[in-house]
C-alpha cells in the first residue's frame, strides 16, 4: 500500500485539557519561536503531504489552519481513546484505508517522520521510534481499527502491547518531546534554537 492522496488520513489528536501546563494559555496555543505548538505540529503534517489532515479537538478552541479540518470530540473528557476512535470512525465513513496519528503537543516531530511511518506498509501497525523508544506518529491500517474500542485512554499504545505481531518499528530522526509543562516548552525552544530553525 502506498500513501497516495485518498488512502491515508493524517490525524492530530488535540483534544486534551493540558492540565499540567501552568502557562498563561493552553499548551497548544503557547508560542515557540513565532508559532504555536499546534501550528508547528500541524505544519509538519501538512508538509509531509501524506493525505488530508484532520485535527481532533475538544477542550480548547484552536485557530484555523488552511488544509487542516477540525472535528470536535464531544467525549474528549473521557480520555484520548475517544479521540482516536472518532478519528477512525471518520476515516471509515470517508473510505480511507489507513490513518497516521500523532499528537498536537509534539511540535518537533518532523515531516520526514510522518512520511516514513506512512510509507511503512509491511505490517498493519507502524510506529516511529526515536533512539529505540516507541513514540509518534503511528500508522494504523483499517484491519486493526475494530480492535480499538475508544474507551478511556485505550488506544494505539495498548493495542501494540497486546498484539506485538502486528507492529513494525520505523526509526526516525528528530525529537519526540511532548509539551506538557512550561519546562517542556522551554526545552523545545532550546532544541529549535540549536537546530537553527
Amino acid at each position: 500500500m502506498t500513501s497516495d492522496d485518498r488512502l491515508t488520513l493524517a490525524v492530530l489528536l488535540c483534544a486534551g485539557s493540558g492540565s499540567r501546563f501552568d502557562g498563561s494559555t493552553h499548551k497548544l496555543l503557547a508560542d515557540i519561536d513565532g508559532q504555536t505548538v499546534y501550528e508547528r505540529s500541524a505544519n509538519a503534517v501538512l508538509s509531509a503531504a501524506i493525505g488530508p489532515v484532520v485535527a481532533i479537538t475538544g477542550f480548547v478552541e484552536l485557530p484555523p489552519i488552511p488544509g487542516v479540518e477540525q472535528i470536535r470530540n464531544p467525549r474528549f473528557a473521557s480520555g484520548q481513546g475517544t479521540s482516536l476512535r472518532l478519528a477512525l470512525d471518520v476515516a471509515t465513513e470517508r473510505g480511507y484505508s489507513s490513518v497516521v496519528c500523532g499528537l498536537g503537543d509534539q511540535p518537533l516531530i518532523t515531516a520526514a517522520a510522518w512520511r516514513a511511518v506512512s510509507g511503512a506498509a509491511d505490517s498493519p501497525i507502524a510506529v516511529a521510534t526515536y533512539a529505540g523508544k516507541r513514540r509518534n506518529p503511528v500508522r494504523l491500517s483499517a484491519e486493526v481499527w475494530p480492535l480499538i474500542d475508544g474507551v478511556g485512554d485505550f488506544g494505539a499504545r495498548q493495542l501494540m502491547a497486546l498484539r506485538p505481531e502486528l507492529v513494525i518499528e520505523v526509526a526516525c530522526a528528530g525529537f519526540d518531546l511532548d509539551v506538557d509543562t512550561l519546562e517542556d516548552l522551554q526545552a523545545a525552544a532550546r532544541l529549535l534554537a540549536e537546530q537553527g530553525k
Side-chain angles (χ1 to χ4, degrees), residues 1 16 20 22 25 45 49 54 59 64 89 98 100 103 152 155 164 168 196:
M1 182 187 305
R20 293 172 54 198
D22 57 1
T25 187
V45 188
V54 165
F59 183 84
D89 291 344
S98 69
V100 183
L103 303 180
I168 187 171

Side-chain angles (χ1 to χ4, degrees), residues 112-166:
W114 283 88
R115 280 192 297 270
V117 170
S118 176
D122 296 333
S123 191
I125 303 172
V127 58
T129 63
Y130 303 84
K133 180 181 177 183
R134 288 182 176 182
R135 295 290 277 162
N136 291 296
V138 177
R139 182 184 56 74
L140 302 166
S141 65
E143 66 193 88
V144 302
W145 298 351
L147 303 178
I148 297 176
D149 60 15
V151 174
D153 282 321
F154 184 88
R157 181 169 47 188
Q158 291 85 350
L159 177 58
M160 288 187 287
L162 289 171
R163 300 292 303 275
E165 76 279 7
L166 301 177

Side-chain angles (χ1 to χ4, degrees), residues 12-16 26-30 36-39 55-65 68 70 104:
L12 271 180
L13 302 179
C14 304
H26 190 280
K27 65 180 181 178
L28 294 178
L29 302 177
T36 66
V37 169
Y38 168 61
E39 287 170 333
I56 305 297
T57 67
F59 183 84
V60 69
E61 184 174 343
L62 298 172
I65 295 177
V68 179
Q70 293 187 23

Side-chain angles (χ1 to χ4, degrees), residues 15 73-80 82:
N73 174 15
R75 299 175 56 222
F76 73 89
S78 296
Q80 190 179 91
T82 65

Side-chain angles (χ1 to χ4, degrees), residues 76-109:
F76 73 89
S78 296
Q80 190 179 91
T82 65
S83 290
L84 178 56
R85 184 67 256 170
L86 175 58
L88 298 178
D89 291 344
V90 168
T92 299
E93 291 165 6
R94 298 181 183 181
Y96 292 99
S97 54
S98 69
V99 298
V100 183
C101 274
L103 303 180
D105 67 355
Q106 291 186 315
L108 304 184
I109 301 291

